[in-house]
Amino acid sequence: MTLEQDFIRTIQGLNPQVDLRHDTFWDEDTRQILTTDLLVEEVHFDWRYFTPYELGCRAMAANLSDIAATGGIPKWALVDIAIPKDFKQEDLKQLYLGLSQSGVQIVGGDTSAAEKTFLAVTLIATLPEGATPGRRTGAIAGGVVAISGPHGLSRAGLEALRQDLPGFEQARRAHLCPTPPLALGQKIARTLDRYAMMDSSDGLADAVLRLAQASQVDIVIEQARLEIHPDVQHLDWVLYGGEDFELVVCLPADRLSEFPELTVIGKVQEGQGQAFLDGVPLSFEKTYQHFERLIL
């Protein structure tokens, strides 16, 4: 168990009536979905290769990805921002244009001064009547695990940006201004009444591990089924690169034909919450952990 997981478990003990294992809060009474995400300068992004517009786009995408994984329709956004004193007004305008490019209505937020830039977005979404929200707990042995798109491109784009490499245009776009598959998430929620789903913002390996743990099954990925883009130079980028914002779905094999947008990468079987790549166990040790130096 990672320090971040241990921290969440501690908070869960203080708030036992809410299931904190998921990336969103789902309120069954109002059919609303809530999520929030924070970007911190020099932790999540660097002004050397992000424009203000791209930062806004990226911040909104991180939240939209969680909504996509729940099957929701985004309605409203709250934006909290802290910026240095030398932040230009035009740059602030461009940042909000990037936030707004998705079409989600920004209805409020808060502002503050800070030594570095902090940007937090909170999204409120709704789930239509009859739809089943995507949760991590619905995977069933005998099913398949599938993804909405290739992995590793965002990490390839990050490396190209850091090293100022020529080319890598698709990878650069994947990192700076991704487009989460909202329509696909909504389709899955409308169509299936039992499935497990989350996004891969923290990496493909992280997603399958968390799905396996929450559903108490084992998930086996086959390397031969992984689509690897020519710009992606290492298998570790596919598994652990993160920030691809694709959907990872566990669903019955006989329902797969209803979702041509998905690519099968493995299977779900009886187990105790482990994940494997061709029989080799995957581990949280290679995934990014914000709290790795935190003493709890």
Side-chain angles (χ1 to χ4, degrees):
M1 178 174 291
T2 66
L3 286 173
E4 184 176 358
Q5 288 174 298
D6 198 25
F7 174 76
I8 293 172
R9 188 175 65 174
T10 299
I11 301 302
Q12 180 74 79
L14 301 175
N15 196 18
Q17 69 273 24
V18 178
D19 188 350
L20 298 178
R21 291 176 296 177
H22 310 284
D23 289 323
T24 61
F25 171 70
W26 154 244
D27 181 42
E28 189 172 355
D29 293 334
T30 63
R31 300 195 68 78
Q32 286 190 332
I33 303 162
L34 283 72
T35 191
T36 190
D37 203 82
L38 171 67
L39 298 185
V40 179
E41 183 180 351
E42 296 181 7
V43 176
H44 300 96
F45 72 94
D46 195 311
W47 284 124
R48 288 177 298 175
Y49 46 78
F50 264 91
T51 67
Y53 181 90
E54 290 164 343
L55 179 64
C57 177
R58 168 68 175 72
M60 186 62 74
N63 288 269
L64 290 173
S65 188
D66 288 337
I67 297 299
T70 315
I73 301 171
K75 293 292 185 180
W76 306 286
L78 299 169
V79 177
D80 297 331
I81 185 168
I83 52 176
K85 294 179 180 179
D86 60 353
F87 208 92
K88 298 177 182 178
Q89 185 173 358
E90 178 60 28
D91 287 342
L92 189 60
K93 177 182 177 182
Q94 289 298 316
L95 190 152
Y96 272 80
L97 286 173
L99 285 164
S100 302
Q101 59 83 34
S102 66
V104 179
Q105 187 177 14
I106 299 173
V107 296
D110 196 13
T111 58
S112 177
E115 293 185 4
K116 295 181 180 180
T117 304
F118 296 76
L119 179 60
V121 177
T122 298
L123 272 189
I124 301 97
T126 60
L127 193 72
E129 290 290 339
T132 302
R135 306 276 84 183
R136 299 178 181 182
T137 49
I140 303 174
V144 296
V145 58
I147 55 176
S148 60
H151 286 74
L153 263 180
S154 180
R155 176 60 185 274
L158 175 60
E159 294 299 328
L161 290 162
R162 283 174 169 172
Q163 301 176 47
D164 195 23
L165 301 176
F168 293 90
E169 291 306 317
Q170 185 177 350
R172 289 169 184 261
R173 288 196 303 272
H175 185 74
L176 295 172
C177 198
T179 305
L182 272 169
L184 176 57
Q186 293 162 8
K187 177 183 175 182
I188 292 170
R190 292 193 310 266
T191 307
L192 300 176
D193 56 10
R194 178 68 187 263
Y195 66 100
M197 182 162 68
M198 65 176 291
D199 78 337
S200 57
S201 56
D202 290 327
L204 178 59
D206 177 270
V208 295
L209 278 163
R210 293 185 188 277
L211 288 167
Q213 286 187 352
S215 297
Q216 280 300 286
V217 294
D218 283 355
I219 295 177
V220 180
I221 298 175
E222 300 173 34
Q223 183 174 337
R225 290 180 177 267
L226 295 175
E227 177 187 351
I228 301 179
H229 190 276
D231 287 349
V232 178
Q233 301 172 7
H234 306 284
L235 179 61
D236 269 9
W237 291 4
V238 176
L239 297 173
Y240 302 104
E243 298 184 325
D244 286 300
F245 300 111
E246 298 291 348
L247 297 177
V248 183
V249 193
C250 298
L251 71 162
D254 61 0
R255 305 297 299 272
L256 186 64
S257 61
E258 300 173 56
F259 305 100
E261 307 94 330
L262 293 175
T263 300
V264 173
I265 60 170
K267 59 186 178 181
V268 182
Q269 61 188 34
E270 296 285 350
Q272 297 181 336
Q274 294 181 286
F276 303 87
L277 177 68
D278 292 336
V280 178
L282 297 173
S283 170
F284 284 115
E285 290 182 2
K286 286 188 176 182
T287 61
Y288 183 79
Q289 303 297 330
H290 285 286
F291 289 171
E292 62 181 345
R293 295 180 180 88
L294 182 67
I295 300 174
L296 297 177

